[in-house]
């Protein structure tokens, strides 16, 4: 009898939609994400710049939570990394962090939200 392996079948289908050209994303990185916006019949790319405070890894459903402060108000947005709406992801800076989730940044203001920057050796 033919046994259908649904888990492997789902993985094979998902692998076709995974993005191959993604940078290495770590918690504490400052990133600039280009998001495709459709207004009427026009399509444009709008950039969202902030710090990655959380990351969930689950193959095609990998998400990152990006936080930025705009006019004194903290804004968090969750991005589906492999979504076709995400046009580009650029890592601007990396930071040394010792937590997997940086939710404590929600309670800090101003200079207290700064993270210790790391420099990659070339």
């Amino acid at each position: 009898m033919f046994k259908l392996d649904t888990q492997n079948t789902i993985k094979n289908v998902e692998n076709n939609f995974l993005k191959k050209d993604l940078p290495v994303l770590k918690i504490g990185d400052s990133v600039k994400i280009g998001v495709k916006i459709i207004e009427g019949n026009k399509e444009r790319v709008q950039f969202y710049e902030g710090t990655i405070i959380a990351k969930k890894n689950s193959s095609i459903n990998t998400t990152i939570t990006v936080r930025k402060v705009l006019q004194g108000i903290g804004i968090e947005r969750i991005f589906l990394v492999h979504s076709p709406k995400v046009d580009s992801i650029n890592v601007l800076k990396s930071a040394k962090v010792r937590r997997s989730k940086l939710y404590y940044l929600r309670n800090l203001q101003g200079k207290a939200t700064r993270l210790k920057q790391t420099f990659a050796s070339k």
Side-chain angles (χ1 to χ4, degrees), residues 5-119:
D5 189 10
T6 56
Q7 201 165 21
N8 283 338
T9 307
I10 291 171
K11 274 192 179 180
N12 290 336
V13 171
E14 285 180 351
N15 283 338
N16 297 334
F17 298 100
L18 291 176
K19 291 184 180 176
K20 310 289 189 250
D21 58 341
L22 289 175
V24 177
L25 299 172
K26 295 180 288 208
I27 306 299
D29 286 354
S30 292
V31 292
K32 187 174 187 179
I33 300 175
V35 183
K36 291 181 184 174
I37 305 283
I38 299 171
E39 294 173 338
N41 57 359
K42 292 182 187 174
E43 183 176 297
R44 66 183 180 90
V45 177
Q46 184 177 26
F47 291 98
Y48 189 91
E49 195 170 327
T51 305
I52 298 176
I53 63 166
K55 184 177 175 185
K56 278 189 188 155
N57 291 316
S58 58
S59 73
I60 198 155
N61 295 321
T62 301
T63 61
I64 56 173
T65 303
V66 180
R67 178 178 175 84
K68 73 174 180 179
V69 177
L70 187 65
Q71 296 179 353
I73 299 171
I75 301 168
E76 291 181 10
R77 190 164 171 192
I78 299 172
F79 292 99
L80 200 56
V81 173
H82 297 287
S83 170
K85 292 224 179 225
V86 174
D87 187 48
S88 63
I89 299 177
N90 297 325
V91 177
L92 305 175
K93 291 189 286 186
S94 292
K96 178 186 175 190
V97 293
R98 297 179 62 160
R99 302 279 180 273
S100 63
K101 307 279 192 253
L102 301 181
Y103 294 141
Y104 68 89
L105 291 178
R106 294 172 175 166
N107 300 325
L108 302 178
Q109 292 179 350
K111 287 188 174 182
T113 60
R114 292 178 300 173
L115 298 171
K116 177 82 173 166
Q117 187 174 353
T118 59
F119 299 97

